[in-house]
Amino acid sequence: MPDTSNPPLQAFGFSITVTPAGRRIWPPRFKRFVLEKMDAGELTLNQITQTCGVSRSYVYQWRMQAQGKPVTATEWRAKAQFAESIAQCRHWAEFDSTSAHELGFLCARQTRVSPNLI
């Protein structure tokens, strides 16, 4: 049976595991090290991308992860927060006889908000 394992990638004193499919597994400790060195000016973004064979956006994703910001679509959806804001308008009493579109224009005119935003 042929050996399907890939040798680990050596980068900045770390041994990065490479799966049989060629996917590299970046340990959190390695990401922190790289970001700290980059922030200190000891490593450039180009050095990181060339040594590790990753794109610039991938390194920026590491930074976003380290800052606790959402990176993937699933993370964005999980952090999404919405709030409903209801503006009181003297025209609310007329709502039964006024279409929602017209009500938007009436309220926008009263509050000086662009009708296009309603």
Side-chain angles (χ1 to χ4, degrees):
M1 187 159 157
D3 182 17
T4 58
S5 64
N6 292 319
L9 170 71
Q10 300 300 317
F12 307 115
F14 287 82
S15 184
I16 308 301
T17 302
V18 181
T19 67
R23 184 172 178 261
R24 291 159 293 190
I25 309 298
W26 305 102
R29 196 178 68 159
F30 172 78
K31 294 177 189 179
R32 278 192 304 276
F33 171 83
V34 167
L35 293 173
E36 288 171 4
K37 292 294 184 182
M38 195 168 84
D39 290 342
E42 297 174 30
L43 281 177
T44 66
L45 185 59
N46 285 338
Q47 288 173 315
I48 297 166
T49 59
Q50 290 172 0
T51 302
C52 300
V54 296
S55 67
R56 296 167 69 94
S57 63
Y58 208 64
V59 177
Y60 290 128
Q61 284 182 6
W62 293 350
R63 176 173 281 152
M64 288 177 65
Q65 287 173 338
Q67 294 170 348
K69 295 180 180 175
V71 177
T72 66
T74 303
E75 290 170 344
W76 278 102
R77 282 191 291 276
K79 280 202 159 201
Q81 296 180 4
F82 298 94
E84 181 179 9
S85 176
I86 300 174
Q88 294 299 319
C89 173
R90 64 183 173 88
H91 300 288
W92 282 112
E94 305 167 19
F95 187 68
D96 291 336
S97 62
T98 308
S99 74
H101 184 71
E102 291 174 274
L103 182 63
F105 275 99
L106 292 171
C107 292
R109 205 171 47 228
Q110 178 184 355
T111 58
R112 297 184 182 164
V113 174
S114 170
N116 296 332
L117 298 177
I118 297 178

